């Protein structure tokens, strides 16, 4: 594996899932693979799980880690080419990425969507500039349109908890008062569409995801219909793609409740976290026996570890 930016860098998901599950059983089996090598983790945005699980995964492989909050710890970075740099950004990504590529064998980057300029967000400017100038493999720690390490962890979690060969998996929009990116939902669709399962997406009108990510997924505006017989309910809020970045509704009727979970096939409740309690999902569901959010977050280590292992093997 060279870079890990999207599902397109993971041609065999099943093999990755199985290898991740094997690593979960023997975390230190490859603890010499990263010896004397260093990964740099760059955060343009906050992080809890991604930051810690990726460091843990790296350490399990014997990698050294360096972590930086870009713009807070470092200079603000200019991403556009050919601009007169008389604004707030003191350094251009051309030098910054190239220099960090001298210090690190792998660079992992988190850079959320602006949610103001759709064309620019969907062009993945930050990831593409790092890929172009760093000269080392790049790992996506959530970009403007995708969160592939989360999606791989989700595949691992579904594999562990499924009770039938072809489970019904539902991605449901859930209310939030803030404008959140489409990245987690987009990525989840693009990974689920490549798995052998029944995949249904449900959201209020106006929250249609970008067709390139939604693919052939079934879509319904009836959350009840979607939940019927579901084996997994994956909740996420996202802002509108078509009325880009806007919060069109905060309709509390879309919150995940126990009553709705009772429509499922004793379905498991999943969320990438962080989750706003009693905004997106009730305490009852989150604290109840159907919730697997903590186990799901735990699997972030194994998704990161299998990806870093594959990249190290290709160095
Ligand atoms: C991010 C998102 O993409 O939706 C990260 C998820 C892994 N989530 C948030 O920004 C939540 C912020 C909030 O205030 O609830």
């Amino acid at each position: 594996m060279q870079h890990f930016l999207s599902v397109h860098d993971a041609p065999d998901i099943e093999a990755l899932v199985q290898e991740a599950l094997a690593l979960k059983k023997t975390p230190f089996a490859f603890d010499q693979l990263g010896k004397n090598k260093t990964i740099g983790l760059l955060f343009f945005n906050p992080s809890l799980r991604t930051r810690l699980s990726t460091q843990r995964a790296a350490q399990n492989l014997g990698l050294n880690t360096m972590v930086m909050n870009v713009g807070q710890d470092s200079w603000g970075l200019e991403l556009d080419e050919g601009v007169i740099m008389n604004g707030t950004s003191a350094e251009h990504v051309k030098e910054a990425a190239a220099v960090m590529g001298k210090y690190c064998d792998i660079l992992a980057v988190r850079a959320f969507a602006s949610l103001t300029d759709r064309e620019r967000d969907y062009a993945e400017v930050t990831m593409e500039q790092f890929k172009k100038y760093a000269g080392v493999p790049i790992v996506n720690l959530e970009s403007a349109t995708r969160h592939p390490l989360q999606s791989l962890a989700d595949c691992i979690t579904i594999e562990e908890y499924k009770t039938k060969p072809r489970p019904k998996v539902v991605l449901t929009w859930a209310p939030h008062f803030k404008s959140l990116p489409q990245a987690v939902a987009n990525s989840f669709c693009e990974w689920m569409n490549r798995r052998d399962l029944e995949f249904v997406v449900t959201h209020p009108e106006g929250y249609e995801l970008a067709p390139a990510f939604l693919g052939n997924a079934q879509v319904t505006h009836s959350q009840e219909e979607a939940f019927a017989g579901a084996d997994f309910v994956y909740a996420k809020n996202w802002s509108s793609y078509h009325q880009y970045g806007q919060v069109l509704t905060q309709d509390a009727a879309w919150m995940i409740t126990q009553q709705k979970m009772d429509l499922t096939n004793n379905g498991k409740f999943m969320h990438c976290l962080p989750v706003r309690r009693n905004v997106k999902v009730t305490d009852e569901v989150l604290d109840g026996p159907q919730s697997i959010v903590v186990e799901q977050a735990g699997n972030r280590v194994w998704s990161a570890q299998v990806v870093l292992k594959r990249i190290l093997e290709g160095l």
Side-chain angles (χ1 to χ4, degrees), residues 112-185:
F112 287 176
S114 67
L115 297 177
T116 54
D117 182 340
R118 184 170 90 177
E119 203 182 327
R120 186 181 167 84
D121 284 347
Y122 276 69
E124 289 287 11
V125 174
T126 310
M127 289 295 146
E128 290 304 319
Q129 291 293 64
F130 271 93
K131 192 171 158 187
K132 193 165 160 192
Y133 293 117
V136 295
I138 303 297
V139 175
N140 182 343
L141 299 178
E142 187 173 340
S143 65
T145 68
R146 294 180 167 101
H147 195 357
L149 285 175
Q150 178 66 53
S151 306
L152 175 54
D154 300 336
C155 290
I156 296 165
T157 309
I158 289 169
E159 189 62 28
E160 284 183 308
Y161 283 90
K162 72 182 186 187
T163 54
K164 57 162 90 96
R166 204 168 176 279
K168 178 176 178 181
V169 177
V170 176
L171 169 64
T172 178
W173 183 92
H176 201 307
F177 50 92
K178 275 170 64 180
S179 173
L180 297 191
Q182 294 109 35
V184 170

Side-chain angles (χ1 to χ4, degrees), residues 24-276:
K24 188 171 182 173
K25 287 198 192 107
T26 55
F28 309 113
F30 300 92
D31 63 357
Q32 299 300 304
L33 194 61
K35 192 169 188 273
N36 297 333
K37 294 202 166 62
T38 297
I39 183 171
L41 308 183
L42 307 177
F43 291 92
F44 287 82
N45 310 95
S47 171
L48 186 154
R49 279 147 292 278
T50 299
R51 183 170 177 143
L52 298 182
S53 65
T54 311
Q55 285 193 74
R56 178 61 205 258
Q59 288 163 8
N60 287 352
L61 293 166
L63 269 167
N64 297 306
T65 63
M66 299 200 290
V67 185
M68 193 164 70
N69 298 317
V70 181
Q72 286 169 259
D73 306 340
S74 70
W75 307 106
L77 287 191
E78 176 60 53
L79 295 163
D80 290 332
E81 312 261 340
V83 294
I84 300 169
M85 285 175 57
N86 59 0
T88 50
S89 301
E91 179 156 23
H92 202 280
V93 68
K94 275 194 193 185
E95 289 80 46
V99 167
M100 290 188 278
K102 295 286 182 209
Y103 306 150
C104 301
D105 302 279
I106 304 171
L107 280 176
V109 183
R110 162 163 287 193
F112 287 176
S114 67
L115 297 177
T116 54
D117 182 340
R118 184 170 90 177
E119 203 182 327
R120 186 181 167 84
D121 284 347
Y122 276 69
E124 289 287 11
V125 174
T126 310
M127 289 295 146
E128 290 304 319
Q129 291 293 64
F130 271 93
K131 192 171 158 187
K132 193 165 160 192
Y133 293 117
V136 295
I138 303 297
V139 175
N140 182 343
L141 299 178
E142 187 173 340
S143 65
T145 68
R146 294 180 167 101
H147 195 357
L149 285 175
Q150 178 66 53
S151 306
L152 175 54
D154 300 336
C155 290
I156 296 165
T157 309
I158 289 169
E159 189 62 28
E160 284 183 308
Y161 283 90
K162 72 182 186 187
T163 54
K164 57 162 90 96
R166 204 168 176 279
K168 178 176 178 181
V169 177
V170 176
L171 169 64
T172 178
W173 183 92
H176 201 307
F177 50 92
K178 275 170 64 180
S179 173
L180 297 191
Q182 294 109 35
V184 170
N186 282 344
S187 220
F188 190 69
C189 289
E190 110 181 315
W191 286 71
M192 287 303 121
N193 282 331
R194 286 165 176 78
R195 302 294 285 156
D196 184 22
L197 40 78
E198 184 186 350
F199 182 47
V200 179
V201 181
T202 183
H203 56 72
E205 280 183 44
Y207 282 96
E208 291 74 21
L209 291 164
F213 288 97
L214 184 64
N216 293 327
Q218 298 175 54
V219 180
T220 171
H221 297 312
S222 164
Q223 200 182 32
E224 277 72 19
E225 182 190 306
F227 276 41
D231 297 293
F232 295 90
V233 170
Y234 194 104
K236 181 73 186 84
N237 171 270
W238 61 88
S239 58
S240 175
Y241 171 74
H242 291 283
Q243 289 169 258
Y244 194 61
Q246 289 189 30
V247 175
L248 306 177
T249 177
Q250 297 180 37
D251 188 357
W254 278 80
M255 180 163 64
I256 318 307
T257 61
Q258 189 56 47
Q259 204 179 9
K260 287 181 200 167
M261 290 304 293
D262 289 343
L263 301 170
T264 68
N265 178 34
N266 193 24
K268 298 297 182 196
F269 177 81
M270 298 176 72
H271 190 284
C272 64
L273 306 180
V275 68
R276 302 276 189 152

